[in-house]
Amino acid sequence: RDPIKAMLDQLQSIIPHIGNPDEEKVSHAGLLVEAGDYIQSAMRENNSTKENIESLKAKIEELNCEIEKSQEQLPEHGSTAIHRIMSTRGKSIPDMFADHVRRRTQEDWRYWVFTSIMGHFVHTFAQEVSNISMVEMERTSNQWIQEKMSLQQLRKDAFRKLAKLCSKTSIMEDPSRLPEEARSFVALPEETKEEIEENPPAFRY
């Protein structure tokens, strides 16, 4: 078999838009012209791809610089929300406070009423006060007191909590039911009670 003919057939099979040499006959001159056009088109596409790659690399580098700048503005020891005061068993302040309210409410239902109005300060304290160092704790504690414990803020919070208390309980319709409702709000499912009895909280108020 003619080696030149074999190479031309192979060339035709490579060019996508011409087809199989066994099914479509193309003159040698026409095949070479088509091959030249295909090579130029492939080169243009290759150059365009290279340009896109370089553009994406530059964009990635730009984003990396922005990320590094943003990271430089983060706290040195990480997010302060991570550094929350925990008990020896790993409980957060809100969890320990919930246990405390649960115990005290069983002793005196009025404690639940008080904590329903004022208890949210425990959660904001846990979220906004950092204990990564004494200096940081003092700074964030003072900031928390100024923002959350002002008389004006206390009035607003107490009003909202009282309104919520009225909608959540029957205190307006039948105040005599409030003690029972208060204890039911802090009651635990039987499964949880058994778990606590087996693993009592390490923290005690």
Side-chain angles (χ1 to χ4, degrees):
R1 187 176 180 181
D2 186 355
I4 296 178
K5 176 69 166 57
M7 295 297 293
L8 289 172
D9 289 345
Q10 182 180 1
L11 178 62
Q12 181 175 345
S13 64
I14 293 174
I15 302 174
H17 61 278
I18 293 183
N20 193 315
D22 296 332
E23 299 176 357
E24 184 175 353
K25 299 299 181 182
V26 181
S27 67
H28 294 171
L31 179 60
L32 292 175
V33 171
E34 292 291 342
D37 292 341
Y38 176 72
I39 291 173
Q40 290 180 351
S41 175
M43 290 178 64
R44 287 193 298 268
E45 184 176 349
N46 187 45
N47 291 334
S48 177
T49 301
K50 286 182 178 180
E51 291 177 358
N52 289 335
I53 292 174
E54 293 301 321
S55 176
L56 290 173
K57 285 182 178 179
K59 185 63 176 178
I60 291 172
E61 185 65 26
E62 181 182 347
L63 291 174
N64 285 336
C65 291
E66 292 181 5
I67 291 172
E68 289 179 1
K69 289 180 180 178
S70 298
Q71 289 175 339
E72 290 175 356
Q73 298 175 3
L74 294 174
E76 182 178 356
H77 300 285
S79 174
T80 55
I82 297 175
H83 303 279
R84 296 178 179 174
I85 303 173
M86 309 289 278
S87 72
T88 56
R89 297 185 71 92
K91 280 199 169 187
S92 66
I93 286 181
D95 290 336
M96 292 187 288
F97 180 70
D99 292 338
H100 170 67
V101 171
R102 191 172 294 112
R103 290 191 299 272
R104 291 297 304 275
T105 300
Q106 297 304 328
E107 300 169 3
D108 187 344
W109 63 269
R110 290 171 295 185
Y111 197 76
W112 177 83
V113 177
F114 170 74
T115 54
S116 295
I117 299 173
M118 305 300 294
H120 68 286
F121 289 113
V122 174
H123 296 273
T124 61
F125 180 89
Q127 292 171 352
E128 299 180 18
V129 175
S130 169
N131 68 328
I132 58 177
S133 67
M134 291 300 296
V135 174
E136 183 67 9
M137 190 170 190
E138 180 181 1
R139 184 189 69 80
T140 53
S141 295
N142 289 331
Q143 184 177 354
W144 174 78
I145 291 173
Q146 293 174 2
E147 293 179 357
K148 303 298 182 182
M149 301 299 289
S150 67
L151 187 57
Q152 183 178 13
Q153 187 64 40
L154 287 172
R155 290 195 189 101
K156 292 180 180 179
D157 291 336
F159 176 79
R160 286 194 293 264
K161 293 298 179 179
L162 282 171
K164 186 176 181 180
L165 183 67
C166 291
S167 63
K168 187 177 182 180
T169 68
S170 58
I171 187 172
M172 300 297 292
E173 297 83 13
D174 187 0
S176 64
R177 294 176 54 190
L178 189 57
E180 179 185 354
E181 290 176 337
R183 293 189 178 96
S184 67
F185 285 134
V186 299
L188 290 173
E190 290 300 323
E191 298 82 358
T192 309
K193 289 180 181 178
E194 294 175 1
E195 182 180 349
I196 290 179
E197 290 174 358
E198 294 175 0
N199 303 285
F203 189 92
R204 286 291 183 269
Y205 280 82

